[in-house]
Each structure stands twice: as structure tokens, then as C-alpha cells.
Amino acid sequence: AASALPAGAQLEPIAPECAPLVGTFLTLRVTETGAPADPLGRSLIALTNGGHAFMSDSAQGGIAGYQPFSDARGPWICHGAQDDGTITFKAVMIDFTYPTERQPDALVVRVETDGTLDAGGLVLSGETNVSFYPLASDPLGGDAPSSSTRYTFTGHKVLAQ
């Protein structure tokens, strides 16, 4: 079966117009109005020039209704620069939940992020869809998730200054 992951971590180098996406971004989950989400959530999204994506999240220890979970990892692809100077991308990452007394079954999690980097190259925004699957399911192919959630985010590039 064909993989449903983007062909990130690819053999081709990142296109020069996509280079500003390479780096680490500190993000904040936000509501439709741009206000911080409740519960407050932050994440680190790292995109490498080799096409790898990594995500760590402040909710990894578990929050109400969700099990604790691991870092997410996977590929990312750049859709290129847009007419307004922004750069769009997609990342598909996989992580795992940890069993708890209340939720004893670990799950595999597919984290899909579609984002935009502003023309200045410092502000990242987008939407993330998080889909949960039983461990025996295939999160890369045709299996349907057992549940999912979606959130929007905004954040800034972490700079070494």
C-alpha cells in the first residue's frame, strides 16, 4: 500500500524559497479570534533542511480528556512562496499516547499541520489536525481514526541572538 505521508525527508534539497521555514518555532494554540486557547497550549515545531519535522508540546504530560503522549516526528514539504511573499508547508508527524489508569490503551497519533510563514520569515501560523488510532490500525493509509481534534496556532521563529 502506498504511504499517505508527504515525500518529505526527501532526496531533493529544500528549494531556496523554502529555506526560511528551516528552524524552530515556538507556537501558541489560539481561538478563531486569535486569543490564546483554553487550556493554554504551546509547542515547538522544528523543520529541518532534510525534510524532517519534529514537534514537542506543553500538553505532553496529559491534559483533561487526553492521555500523555510522546514527541511527534515525520516529514514536511514546502508548497513554495506565494504571490504575497508567504511560504506554505505541510508536515505529517506520528507520535504515541501512553496508557493511563483511566485510558489503558496506548494509541498511535497522526499529527497533520498545514502552515504559513509570513513574508518577513519570522511568524508561523496554521492549523493542526490530530487523529487518534488504535495501535493495530494504519495511520498512514486507509484506516479511519477513532477520534480527532483540530486547533489553530501562531508562533515565532526561535533565533540565536
Side-chain angles (χ1 to χ4, degrees):
S3 172
L5 288 174
Q10 55 229 6
L11 299 175
E12 301 170 19
I14 299 298
E17 68 267 16
C18 297
L21 279 166
V22 173
T24 300
F25 298 85
L26 175 62
T27 69
L28 173 68
R29 281 189 283 285
V30 294
T31 64
E32 291 176 7
T33 65
D38 184 23
L40 184 65
R42 306 291 302 247
S43 66
L44 286 172
I45 299 173
L47 304 173
T48 73
N49 61 0
H52 299 92
F54 303 93
M55 181 186 283
S56 297
D57 195 286
S58 62
Q60 281 181 233
I63 58 173
Y66 294 96
Q67 294 167 285
F69 55 93
S70 66
D71 285 342
R73 298 179 184 126
W76 73 278
I77 57 172
C78 178
H79 298 301
Q82 308 304 304
D83 291 340
D84 63 359
T86 61
I87 305 168
T88 59
F89 76 98
K90 179 179 190 78
V92 177
M93 297 164 282
I94 302 295
D95 69 10
F96 301 95
T97 67
Y98 300 118
T100 63
E101 187 174 318
R102 211 173 117 223
Q103 295 172 302
D105 295 325
L107 302 170
V108 63
V109 184
R110 181 181 173 119
V111 181
E112 291 189 53
T113 297
D114 291 290
T116 302
L117 184 65
D118 76 322
L122 297 177
V123 179
L124 190 73
S125 61
E127 188 170 81
T128 297
N129 188 58
V130 182
S131 300
F132 300 90
Y133 299 82
L135 282 179
S137 295
D138 179 7
L140 307 179
D143 290 348
S146 57
S147 65
S148 64
T149 186
R150 182 176 293 273
Y151 63 86
T152 56
F153 65 87
T154 187
H156 291 85
K157 194 169 206 174
V158 178
L159 301 173
Q161 296 181 359

